[in-house]
Amino acid sequence: MNYQQLFQMQKGLDSHIESNHGLEEADLFDRKILALLVELGELANETRCFKFWSLKPSSPQDTVLEEFVDGIHFILSLGIECGFDGDKDLTVPVEKTVSVNGQFLSVYEAIGKFRTSRSLTDYKELIAVYLHLGEMLGFNFSQIEKAYIDKNEVNYKRQAEGY
C-alpha cells in the first residue's frame, strides 16, 4: 500500500476538519481512538460474523469495504497525531488467527495496547492486524486503497454539507 499517499490525503482531511471545527489546538487522540473502536464495531455489525443467533447474511461486500476503510481513516489519523506518517516501513508480520471473530478481537486488543503505549511498534501491529482483518474479509490492498480514496472524497463532501 502507498502509505505516504494515504497519509497525505488523511493529513489534508484532518486539517480541513480541525480548521472548520476550531480544533487546531485540541488533543483529539482519545476521541480518535474511541471513533476507531466504534467504527470497528460498525464493521463487525455489517459482517454479522458474531451473530450466531441470526440467519441473516452479511451486508454486501461494498458496504463492508466502506465500513472497513472508515477504520483506515482513523488509523492513519492516529499515526499522523503520533508523528508516524513519515515512517517508510509500516509492515510487520502478523500472527494469523483462524476466525474473523478472533481477528476482530485481536484488533480491539491492538487498539487498546496502542492507546496506552502510543509507540511506533504498537502502531505497526495495529496496522498489521487491521489489514489482516481486511484480507480475511476478502479485500486486497488495491481494493482498500481505492475505497479509501473514494471515501475520502465523500468525507470532504460531507464536511462541505455541514455533516
Side-chain angles (χ1 to χ4, degrees), residues 89-148:
D89 183 21
L90 294 173
T91 307
V92 296
V94 64
E95 193 173 307
K96 308 287 185 186
T97 59
V98 294
S99 73
V100 172
N101 286 319
Q103 194 62 26
F104 269 104
L105 294 172
S106 293
V107 175
Y108 275 109
E109 290 168 4
I111 294 168
K113 187 174 177 184
F114 173 64
R115 178 180 179 249
T116 302
S117 74
R118 297 189 189 198
S119 74
L120 178 58
T121 300
D122 290 337
Y123 182 70
K124 288 180 179 183
E125 177 71 15
L126 171 56
I127 290 172
V129 296
Y130 195 76
L131 290 176
H132 182 58
L133 174 62
E135 289 177 280
M136 292 179 81
L137 295 174
F139 308 126
N140 62 44
F141 291 161
S142 176
Q143 290 173 301
I144 293 168
E145 279 187 24
K146 182 182 180 329
Y148 173 86

Side-chain angles (χ1 to χ4, degrees), residues 51-71:
K51 295 187 176 189
F52 59 86
W53 60 89
S54 176
L55 298 175
K56 186 177 174 184
S58 171
S59 294
Q61 278 294 90
D62 59 329
T63 302
V64 175
L65 179 57
E66 185 175 336
E67 287 297 336
F68 181 81
V69 298
D70 285 346

Side-chain angles (χ1 to χ4, degrees), residues 9-10 12-14 16-18 20-21 39 66-74 76-77 147-163:
M9 292 177 71
Q10 188 64 45
L13 180 61
D14 286 354
H16 180 77
I17 291 169
E18 290 167 16
N20 282 353
H21 295 273
E39 292 298 341
E66 185 175 336
E67 287 297 336
F68 181 81
V69 298
D70 285 346
I72 295 286
H73 276 85
F74 287 107
L76 291 169
S77 189
Y148 173 86
I149 291 166
D150 292 345
K151 187 63 184 269
N152 200 17
E153 290 176 22
V154 168
N155 287 340
Y156 271 110
K157 185 177 178 189
R158 286 178 174 171
Q159 287 298 308
E161 295 170 349
Y163 177 75

